[in-house]
Amino acid sequence: MADTLTGRRIIITAGPTLEPIDPVRFISNRSSGQQGYAIAQACAHLGADVTLVSGPTALPDPLGLKTVRIETALEMLDAVETALPADVFIAVAAVADWRPANRAEKKLKVDKSGFTGLELVENPDILKTIANRNENRPGLVIGFAAETHDVENLAIAKRARKGCDWIVANDVSGDVMGGSHNEVSLVTTDGVEHWPSGPKSAIAAELAGRIADALMQNA
Ligand code: C5P
């Protein structure tokens, strides 16, 4: 059978990350986790041993795979590195680019305690970190690129900048984030391939099949 992932280990990040400011406030984003969860399920459906590293989402843990729940980008990177080695790494998560430099132990008071503003520091780029590992770099590293314009050219540049093998590029000028449908292009060494619009589950199934084919060719 051509499209099998039996015996393959796949790590997938999904959802947003949540970066605490104090016990009640945080920085996050609107990622629902749907596309990442659908890819995790599609890979598990083809027999892969999947670890899904997920930020906070409203979705239940998918059946038939291991879900590791984290909150911050630092925790996400740690969970991915702990799950290595793997044949494939797919970074679908909308990782917060910045986190508060300090997490206040008590709720910040704007008036009394002299709050002077929020200092932010850059989060690690999980995709770039995993793609550039010397040891235990997964054979196939896949990133996502959500853009509102010039999608394909930006994705080609992103593939080179991150050091990953494939980029799944999507146009988020519509209601993709949180919606059930997606329209993507796949950027590989062979060029750019535009896929028809479809449910996130269909995009996930197509991607899982492509991964199985690619691993088979390199076997
Ligand atoms: O640079 P940008 O955020 O557009 O890149 C998107 C891709 O990089 C996605 O695959 C996302 O999961 C990944 N990423 C990451 N860690 C970050 C930022 C983005 O893994 N800190």
Side-chain angles (χ1 to χ4, degrees), residues 170-209:
N170 60 339
D171 186 337
V172 290
S173 52
D175 68 343
V176 164
M177 277 186 119
S180 61
H181 278 59
N182 206 352
E183 186 169 347
V184 305
S185 298
L186 180 66
V187 181
T188 68
T189 35
D190 297 335
V192 183
E193 200 182 296
H194 190 71
W195 292 0
S197 166
K200 287 180 177 175
S201 56
I203 306 274
E206 180 68 26
L207 184 64

Side-chain angles (χ1 to χ4, degrees), residues 13 91-97 123-127 143-145 158 161-162:
T13 65
V92 197
V95 182
D97 293 316
N123 267 330
D125 188 319
I126 298 167
L127 173 59
F144 269 66
K158 187 162 292 183
R161 196 167 65 246
K162 302 268 187 177

Side-chain angles (χ1 to χ4, degrees), residues 9 15 22 24-25 28 31 37 53 73 77 82 95 102 104 130 132 136 141 165 174 180 184 192 199-200 202 211 217:
R9 285 179 50 79
D22 68 13
V24 296
R25 303 184 180 96
S28 192
S31 169
Y37 278 52
V53 179
L77 176 58
T82 301
V95 182
N102 302 297
I130 299 301
N132 288 284
N136 277 346
V141 176
D165 305 298
S180 61
V184 305
V192 183
K200 287 180 177 175
I211 292 168
Q217 278 169 21

Side-chain angles (χ1 to χ4, degrees), residues 92-111:
V92 197
V95 182
D97 293 316
W98 303 87
R99 68 177 182 276
N102 302 297
R103 175 186 187 157
E105 303 231 328
K106 291 184 182 158
K107 187 179 170 193
L108 292 172
K109 299 287 181 201
V110 176
D111 50 350

Side-chain angles (χ1 to χ4, degrees), residues 57-127:
T57 69
L59 303 173
D61 290 3
L63 297 175
L65 56 97
K66 182 179 178 194
T67 303
V68 180
R69 297 269 179 182
I70 52 78
E71 287 199 336
T72 68
L74 291 175
E75 290 166 359
M76 183 173 271
L77 176 58
D78 188 50
V80 169
E81 287 179 332
T82 301
L84 288 172
D87 300 287
V88 184
F89 173 60
I90 316 173
V92 197
V95 182
D97 293 316
W98 303 87
R99 68 177 182 276
N102 302 297
R103 175 186 187 157
E105 303 231 328
K106 291 184 182 158
K107 187 179 170 193
L108 292 172
K109 299 287 181 201
V110 176
D111 50 350
K112 292 198 185 101
S113 57
F115 176 62
T116 54
L118 199 56
E119 193 192 332
L120 298 175
V121 292
E122 212 170 321
N123 267 330
D125 188 319
I126 298 167
L127 173 59

